[in-house]
């Protein structure tokens, strides 16, 4: 696993993007790989670790109903224990129950204090509308050690209103798990920098490290400082932990 690390001018809070590669449909195997990232992150004092969209299952849309997870799921026990042991909040990607036939595309955050939370992707795109239910709430704000973090998932970050609402709610960090190709990355990275600059908040993007669900990921997970400058990024694809300290 590669490590990319940088510090901003004001050092107070350590966050990281886990650029992981998912084994299709194999939650148990992906949990073990996630634990590798958690252990590496703990060595760098990370307080909040964010994984890509659907990181625990791969971007396997048609199979999502059979792969639904929740914070207390048995398969997630090792990650809950790791969060408690390391004092780290861990956000993972998985299908979650929507209360209807089609699940949410979710981000599950396992807290170090035993409290957990779920964010559901608000903006679906393409074939996702056939296999998933859109989340009802655009803003999902959490607080850790006095820092407010808003979650986002992939296409959410293509909508400036999503980042704006997060900032208006008080977010100082806008953290998204995504799956995007080289073409998508080229179009989207300027938006992420713009959100950071316009809203004076740190923007974290965790992309897949390899192909998933038929998409070829660009990798290059990164963290933008609150002035819009890129603090640190993975050099390309492959497993990489991207760490930054931010105000």
């Amino acid at each position: 696993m590669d490590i990319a690390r940088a510090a901003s001018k004001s050092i107070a809070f350590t966050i990281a993007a886990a650029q992981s590669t998912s084994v299709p449909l194999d939650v148990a195997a992906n949990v073990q790989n996630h634990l590798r990232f958690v252990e590496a992150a703990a060595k760098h004092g990370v307080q909040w670790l964010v994984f890509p969209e659907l990181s625990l299952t791969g971007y396997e849309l048609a199979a999502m109903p059979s792969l639904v997870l929740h914070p207390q799921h048995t398969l997630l026990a090792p990650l809950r224990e790791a969060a408690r042991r390391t004092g780290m909040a861990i956000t993972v990607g998985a299908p979650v129950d929507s209360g209807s036939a089609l699940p949410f595309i979710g981000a599950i955050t396992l807290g170090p204090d035993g409290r957990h939370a779920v964010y559901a992707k608000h903006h679906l795109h393409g074939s996702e509308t056939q296999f998933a239910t859109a989340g009802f709430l655009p803003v999902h704000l959490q607080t850790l050690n006095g820092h407010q973090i808003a979650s986002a998932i992939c296409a959410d970050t293509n909508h400036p209103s999503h980042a704006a609402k997060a900032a208006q709610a008080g977010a100082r960090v806008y953290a998204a798990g995504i799956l995007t190709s080289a073409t998508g990355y080229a179009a989207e990275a300027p938006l992420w920098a713009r959100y950071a600059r316009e809203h004076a908040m740190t923007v974290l993007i965790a992309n897949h490290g390899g192909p998933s669900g038929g998409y070829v990921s660009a990798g290059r997970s990164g963290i933008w400082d609150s002035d819009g400058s890129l603090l640190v990024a993975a050099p390309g694809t492959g497993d990489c932990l991207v760490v930054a300290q931010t105000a």
Side-chain angles (χ1 to χ4, degrees):
M1 183 192 305
D2 292 331
I3 307 288
R5 179 165 186 162
S8 69
K9 297 171 185 176
S10 301
I11 298 175
F13 189 53
T14 304
I15 58 178
Q19 183 172 289
S20 60
T21 303
S22 299
V23 179
L25 311 177
D26 194 336
V27 175
N30 291 321
V31 165
Q32 291 305 308
N33 192 39
H34 280 44
L35 290 171
R36 290 177 55 242
F37 278 91
V38 172
E39 295 306 321
K43 293 177 181 178
H44 290 269
V46 171
Q47 296 163 273
W48 198 293
L49 178 63
V50 181
F51 284 86
E53 179 180 25
L54 295 175
S55 62
L56 285 174
T57 61
Y59 191 76
E60 306 293 336
L61 298 180
M64 286 197 301
S66 65
L67 296 169
V68 168
L69 298 172
H70 55 82
Q72 297 296 340
H73 198 287
T74 302
L75 287 172
L76 302 191
L79 288 170
R80 290 194 298 273
E81 169 56 22
R84 185 202 61 77
R85 177 172 48 80
T86 62
M88 185 189 309
I90 304 168
T91 300
V92 300
V96 297
D97 184 28
S98 69
S100 67
L102 300 180
F104 292 132
I105 295 175
I108 300 173
T109 299
L110 306 174
D113 58 359
R115 291 185 292 180
H116 313 307
V118 175
Y119 168 71
K121 186 174 185 177
H122 188 63
H123 294 283
L124 302 182
H125 71 99
S127 59
E128 290 177 354
T129 59
Q130 302 173 42
F131 301 107
T133 297
F136 308 114
L137 300 176
V139 178
H140 178 70
L141 205 63
Q142 299 181 75
T143 302
L144 181 69
N145 299 337
H147 297 269
Q148 292 186 300
I149 301 97
S151 293
I153 301 174
C154 205
D156 287 336
T157 73
N158 296 341
H159 296 263
S161 61
H162 193 270
K165 289 175 181 176
Q168 290 164 7
R172 307 312 307 149
V173 177
Y174 184 67
I178 71 167
L179 171 57
T180 196
S181 65
T183 300
Y185 192 101
E188 294 157 7
L191 285 176
W192 305 329
R194 172 185 152 192
Y195 300 156
R197 181 176 62 254
E198 289 187 353
H199 302 301
M201 61 184 180
T202 302
V203 173
L204 179 152
I205 300 294
N207 199 9
H208 280 256
S212 190
Y215 288 85
V216 179
S217 175
R220 297 175 62 192
S221 300
I223 301 173
W224 284 257
D225 207 352
S226 57
D227 62 2
S229 62
L230 180 63
L231 272 174
V232 61
T237 56
D239 284 5
C240 186
L241 180 69
V242 180
V243 184
Q245 292 173 313
T246 184

